[in-house]
Amino acid sequence: MSDTKTPLAPQPRAAQLALKSSGILWFLVALTGQWLFVAYIAVAYGVTTAAGDYAAWDDTGLIMGFSAGDAFGNFMFAAHVLLAAVVTVGGSFQLIPAIRRHVPVLHRWNGRIFMTISVFMAVGGLWMVWGRGARLSEIGSIGLSIDGILILVASAIALNFAMKRQIDRHRRWAMRLYILVNAVWFYRLGFMAWIIVMQGPVGVGENLDGPFDISISFLCYLLPLAVLEIYMRTCDSRKAGAKWMVTGLMLLSTVVTAIGIFGAWMFMWSPHM
């Protein structure tokens, strides 16, 4: 995650170690969930697409997957969902410090591929929602569409700092882009964590138009972005108390993420594998 360049006084050094360790723990848990998500995509969509059984896409409960006679729309859907697996794997590699340090060529080329696919998916996602009509709740669709626009903005800014060799700024914007690109993944985790904690679909509407549905459409990227910003700024801080508090926040985030991964695997992904 974020590197701290200024030397630390002895007192906050333990707090800094705890904070960095909590960030690594969250990443490892999230990485497990993302690879489970990739496995789900490969089996539920990759296998059926390779077999030409496009109608089977809808068995997973999609708003709009296969549509007879809509060759372009079907192609865009297939490209979007299959590239989601590629960008998920590529994005996780970008956050591994050992790859950045020891295999910089892989990091650079993987980053270019990650950004290119992210932009394609953002534009394609906007078209599928508003051009193809793959939506139920108008407000919820606006929330996810804002995420698509932010992906385009973050990609441009991260690329600009990379070209200027302002590596620290580039890295921070790349991490923001990582969060934005994974908004749909966070959406699934947040949805399942909420249902598990609340012991039922509280605030969930039949057409994803309940108060929770609308809230999660925005919070699926705004909340992780806020946690990331707090984490990065606290890594730069010299205040031990703040570091311990944010360590607690990261541990809480890890628990919620783990609950969401468990719920998504049990009720969303594994039944279709």
Side-chain angles (χ1 to χ4, degrees):
M1 304 289 270
S2 176
D3 295 327
T4 302
K5 295 184 177 180
T6 54
L8 295 173
Q11 184 178 2
R13 202 171 290 275
Q16 180 75 349
L17 177 60
L19 178 59
K20 288 292 187 74
S21 298
S22 68
I24 293 171
L25 177 61
W26 176 85
F27 176 68
L28 292 175
V29 171
L31 189 62
T32 301
Q34 291 203 314
W35 281 85
L36 289 174
F37 184 50
V38 169
Y40 159 71
I41 292 174
V43 175
Y45 299 107
V47 173
T48 54
T49 301
D53 187 12
Y54 309 127
W57 294 342
D58 295 329
D59 293 342
T60 61
L62 297 168
I63 295 174
M64 180 180 289
F66 175 75
S67 179
D70 183 14
F72 181 74
N74 293 332
F75 168 78
M76 287 297 293
F77 171 81
H80 187 87
V81 72
L82 295 177
L83 285 175
V86 176
V87 82
T88 299
V89 173
S92 63
F93 283 165
Q94 288 302 95
L95 296 186
I96 299 175
I99 294 178
R100 294 200 303 266
R101 288 194 299 264
H102 302 299
V103 198
V105 173
L106 174 60
H107 177 76
R108 286 194 296 271
W109 278 103
N110 185 52
R112 291 164 184 161
I113 295 171
F114 176 79
M115 284 189 183
T116 301
I117 295 177
S118 297
V119 169
F120 174 80
M121 291 181 63
V123 174
L126 289 169
W127 176 81
M128 285 193 292
V129 170
W130 301 107
R132 199 183 190 209
R135 64 184 186 273
L136 292 176
S137 165
E138 297 292 329
I139 299 178
S141 297
I142 290 172
L144 292 175
S145 297
I146 291 174
D147 174 67
I149 295 170
L150 290 177
I151 287 174
L152 302 179
V153 173
S155 296
I157 295 175
L159 178 61
N160 177 60
F161 284 131
M163 295 175 65
K164 291 181 177 179
R165 307 302 298 168
Q166 297 181 22
I167 301 304
D168 186 62
R169 288 186 172 184
H170 162 71
R171 185 175 301 145
R172 290 167 186 259
W173 276 99
M175 287 194 289
R176 293 175 183 121
L177 176 59
Y178 172 82
I179 295 294
L180 292 167
V181 169
N182 283 285
V184 174
W185 181 77
F186 283 115
Y187 181 99
R188 287 165 168 76
L189 266 58
F191 191 89
M192 293 311 306
W194 174 262
I195 290 177
I196 289 173
V197 171
M198 300 302 294
Q199 297 293 295
V202 178
V204 176
E206 291 185 5
N207 294 315
L208 299 180
D209 54 358
F212 174 76
D213 301 310
I214 294 172
S215 298
I216 196 65
S217 298
F218 294 89
L219 292 177
C220 64
Y221 54 93
L222 292 178
L223 188 56
L225 275 178
V227 173
L228 174 63
E229 291 297 324
I230 293 170
Y231 176 83
M232 291 192 298
R233 291 176 182 273
T234 308
C235 281
D236 293 337
S237 172
R238 299 178 62 88
K239 299 179 180 178
K243 293 180 186 296
W244 286 114
M245 289 180 63
V246 176
T247 296
L249 173 64
M250 292 304 299
L251 292 176
L252 175 61
S253 300
T254 301
V255 171
V256 173
T257 301
I259 294 173
I261 291 170
F262 171 79
W265 173 254
M266 293 299 296
F267 303 107
M268 287 184 169
W269 301 338
S270 65
H272 304 289
M273 294 179 66

PDB file of all heavy atoms in Angstrom, residues 189-203:
ATOM      1  N   LEU A 189     -20.262  -7.805  -2.299  1.00  0.00           N
ATOM      2  CA  LEU A 189     -19.832  -8.074  -0.930  1.00  0.00           C
ATOM      3  C   LEU A 189     -20.665  -7.285   0.072  1.00  0.00           C
ATOM      4  O   LEU A 189     -21.090  -7.819   1.104  1.00  0.00           O
ATOM      5  CB  LEU A 189     -18.348  -7.730  -0.759  1.00  0.00           C
ATOM      6  CG  LEU A 189     -17.363  -8.885  -0.939  1.00  0.00           C
ATOM      7  CD1 LEU A 189     -17.504  -9.522  -2.315  1.00  0.00           C
ATOM      8  CD2 LEU A 189     -15.935  -8.405  -0.731  1.00  0.00           C
ATOM      9  N   GLY A 190     -20.887  -6.015  -0.228  1.00  0.00           N
ATOM     10  CA  GLY A 190     -21.675  -5.186   0.674  1.00  0.00           C
ATOM     11  C   GLY A 190     -23.101  -5.683   0.799  1.00  0.00           C
ATOM     12  O   GLY A 190     -23.687  -5.701   1.890  1.00  0.00           O
ATOM     13  N   PHE A 191     -23.662  -6.114  -0.330  1.00  0.00           N
ATOM     14  CA  PHE A 191     -25.025  -6.639  -0.347  1.00  0.00           C
ATOM     15  C   PHE A 191     -25.149  -7.868   0.546  1.00  0.00           C
ATOM     16  O   PHE A 191     -26.064  -7.963   1.386  1.00  0.00           O
ATOM     17  CB  PHE A 191     -25.414  -6.977  -1.785  1.00  0.00           C
ATOM     18  CG  PHE A 191     -26.864  -7.270  -1.989  1.00  0.00           C
ATOM     19  CD1 PHE A 191     -27.755  -6.257  -2.285  1.00  0.00           C
ATOM     20  CD2 PHE A 191     -27.347  -8.573  -1.891  1.00  0.00           C
ATOM     21  CE1 PHE A 191     -29.101  -6.526  -2.480  1.00  0.00           C
ATOM     22  CE2 PHE A 191     -28.690  -8.849  -2.081  1.00  0.00           C
ATOM     23  CZ  PHE A 191     -29.568  -7.828  -2.380  1.00  0.00           C
ATOM     24  N   MET A 192     -24.211  -8.813   0.398  1.00  0.00           N
ATOM     25  CA  MET A 192     -24.293 -10.049   1.161  1.00  0.00           C
ATOM     26  C   MET A 192     -23.928  -9.834   2.630  1.00  0.00           C
ATOM     27  O   MET A 192     -24.541 -10.444   3.522  1.00  0.00           O
ATOM     28  CB  MET A 192     -23.379 -11.106   0.547  1.00  0.00           C
ATOM     29  CG  MET A 192     -23.810 -11.578  -0.835  1.00  0.00           C
ATOM     30  SD  MET A 192     -25.570 -12.043  -0.945  1.00  0.00           S
ATOM     31  CE  MET A 192     -25.720 -13.227   0.387  1.00  0.00           C
ATOM     32  N   ALA A 193     -22.949  -8.961   2.895  1.00  0.00           N
ATOM     33  CA  ALA A 193     -22.604  -8.679   4.289  1.00  0.00           C
ATOM     34  C   ALA A 193     -23.791  -8.063   5.021  1.00  0.00           C
ATOM     35  O   ALA A 193     -24.072  -8.399   6.180  1.00  0.00           O
ATOM     36  CB  ALA A 193     -21.389  -7.742   4.351  1.00  0.00           C
ATOM     37  N   TRP A 194     -24.514  -7.166   4.347  1.00  0.00           N
ATOM     38  CA  TRP A 194     -25.682  -6.520   4.936  1.00  0.00           C
ATOM     39  C   TRP A 194     -26.765  -7.551   5.263  1.00  0.00           C
ATOM     40  O   TRP A 194     -27.336  -7.545   6.365  1.00  0.00           O
ATOM     41  CB  TRP A 194     -26.221  -5.467   3.977  1.00  0.00           C
ATOM     42  CG  TRP A 194     -27.509  -4.823   4.399  1.00  0.00           C
ATOM     43  CD1 TRP A 194     -28.766  -5.154   3.982  1.00  0.00           C
ATOM     44  CD2 TRP A 194     -27.666  -3.745   5.335  1.00  0.00           C
ATOM     45  NE1 TRP A 194     -29.710  -4.357   4.588  1.00  0.00           N
ATOM     46  CE2 TRP A 194     -29.058  -3.484   5.420  1.00  0.00           C
ATOM     47  CE3 TRP A 194     -26.790  -2.984   6.082  1.00  0.00           C
ATOM     48  CZ2 TRP A 194     -29.571  -2.470   6.226  1.00  0.00           C
ATOM     49  CZ3 TRP A 194     -27.301  -1.974   6.893  1.00  0.00           C
ATOM     50  CH2 TRP A 194     -28.672  -1.731   6.968  1.00  0.00           C
ATOM     51  N   ILE A 195     -27.042  -8.434   4.334  1.00  0.00           N
ATOM     52  CA  ILE A 195     -28.086  -9.441   4.545  1.00  0.00           C
ATOM     53  C   ILE A 195     -27.708 -10.383   5.687  1.00  0.00           C
ATOM     54  O   ILE A 195     -28.550 -10.751   6.515  1.00  0.00           O
ATOM     55  CB  ILE A 195     -28.340 -10.230   3.250  1.00  0.00           C
ATOM     56  CG1 ILE A 195     -29.034  -9.326   2.223  1.00  0.00           C
ATOM     57  CG2 ILE A 195     -29.182 -11.475   3.516  1.00  0.00           C
ATOM     58  CD1 ILE A 195     -29.277  -9.977   0.880  1.00  0.00           C
ATOM     59  N   ILE A 196     -26.433 -10.768   5.756  1.00  0.00           N
ATOM     60  CA  ILE A 196     -25.990 -11.679   6.824  1.00  0.00           C
ATOM     61  C   ILE A 196     -26.074 -10.997   8.183  1.00  0.00           C
ATOM     62  O   ILE A 196     -26.590 -11.568   9.155  1.00  0.00           O
ATOM     63  CB  ILE A 196     -24.557 -12.168   6.543  1.00  0.00           C
ATOM     64  CG1 ILE A 196     -24.554 -13.127   5.354  1.00  0.00           C
ATOM     65  CG2 ILE A 196     -23.975 -12.864   7.774  1.00  0.00           C
ATOM     66  CD1 ILE A 196     -23.177 -13.541   4.893  1.00  0.00           C
ATOM     67  N   VAL A 197     -25.576  -9.770   8.266  1.00  0.00           N
ATOM     68  CA  VAL A 197     -25.576  -9.044   9.540  1.00  0.00           C
ATOM     69  C   VAL A 197     -27.005  -8.727   9.987  1.00  0.00           C
ATOM     70  O   VAL A 197     -27.353  -8.861  11.165  1.00  0.00           O
ATOM     71  CB  VAL A 197     -24.746  -7.752   9.427  1.00  0.00           C
ATOM     72  CG1 VAL A 197     -24.925  -6.881  10.668  1.00  0.00           C
ATOM     73  CG2 VAL A 197     -23.268  -8.091   9.234  1.00  0.00           C
ATOM     74  N   MET A 198     -27.866  -8.320   9.039  1.00  0.00           N
ATOM     75  CA  MET A 198     -29.242  -7.940   9.379  1.00  0.00           C
ATOM     76  C   MET A 198     -30.184  -9.140   9.439  1.00  0.00           C
ATOM     77  O   MET A 198     -31.360  -8.984   9.746  1.00  0.00           O
ATOM     78  CB  MET A 198     -29.763  -6.931   8.349  1.00  0.00           C
ATOM     79  CG  MET A 198     -28.957  -5.649   8.275  1.00  0.00           C
ATOM     80  SD  MET A 198     -28.854  -4.764   9.847  1.00  0.00           S
ATOM     81  CE  MET A 198     -30.564  -4.280  10.071  1.00  0.00           C
ATOM     82  N   GLN A 199     -29.654 -10.350   9.122  1.00  0.00           N
ATOM     83  CA  GLN A 199     -30.455 -11.567   9.148  1.00  0.00           C
ATOM     84  C   GLN A 199     -31.650 -11.514   8.198  1.00  0.00           C
ATOM     85  O   GLN A 199     -32.720 -12.062   8.472  1.00  0.00           O
ATOM     86  CB  GLN A 199     -30.960 -11.835  10.574  1.00  0.00           C
ATOM     87  CG  GLN A 199     -29.851 -12.092  11.577  1.00  0.00           C
ATOM     88  CD  GLN A 199     -29.109 -13.398  11.308  1.00  0.00           C
ATOM     89  OE1 GLN A 199     -29.680 -14.470  11.403  1.00  0.00           O
ATOM     90  NE2 GLN A 199     -27.837 -13.289  10.964  1.00  0.00           N
ATOM     91  N   GLY A 200     -31.448 -10.853   7.060  1.00  0.00           N
ATOM     92  CA  GLY A 200     -32.501 -10.791   6.064  1.00  0.00           C
ATOM     93  C   GLY A 200     -32.322  -9.588   5.161  1.00  0.00           C
ATOM     94  O   GLY A 200     -31.520  -8.695   5.448  1.00  0.00           O
ATOM     95  N   PRO A 201     -33.096  -9.513   4.065  1.00  0.00           N
ATOM     96  CA  PRO A 201     -32.959  -8.419   3.087  1.00  0.00           C
ATOM     97  C   PRO A 201     -33.638  -7.124   3.539  1.00  0.00           C
ATOM     98  O   PRO A 201     -34.568  -6.627   2.882  1.00  0.00           O
ATOM     99  CB  PRO A 201     -33.611  -9.002   1.836  1.00  0.00           C
ATOM    100  CG  PRO A 201     -34.654  -9.931   2.373  1.00  0.00           C
ATOM    101  CD  PRO A 201     -34.070 -10.525   3.624  1.00  0.00           C
ATOM    102  N   VAL A 202     -33.178  -6.567   4.629  1.00  0.00           N
ATOM    103  CA  VAL A 202     -33.769  -5.331   5.152  1.00  0.00           C
ATOM    104  C   VAL A 202     -33.449  -4.171   4.208  1.00  0.00           C
ATOM    105  O   VAL A 202     -32.293  -3.941   3.858  1.00  0.00           O
ATOM    106  CB  VAL A 202     -33.220  -5.024   6.560  1.00  0.00           C
ATOM    107  CG1 VAL A 202     -33.791  -3.703   7.087  1.00  0.00           C
ATOM    108  CG2 VAL A 202     -33.534  -6.169   7.512  1.00  0.00           C
ATOM    109  N   GLY A 203     -34.472  -3.462   3.776  1.00  0.00           N
ATOM    110  CA  GLY A 203     -34.268  -2.317   2.901  1.00  0.00           C
ATOM    111  C   GLY A 203     -33.996  -2.673   1.459  1.00  0.00           C
ATOM    112  O   GLY A 203     -33.594  -1.813   0.667  1.00  0.00           O
TER     113      GLY A 203
END
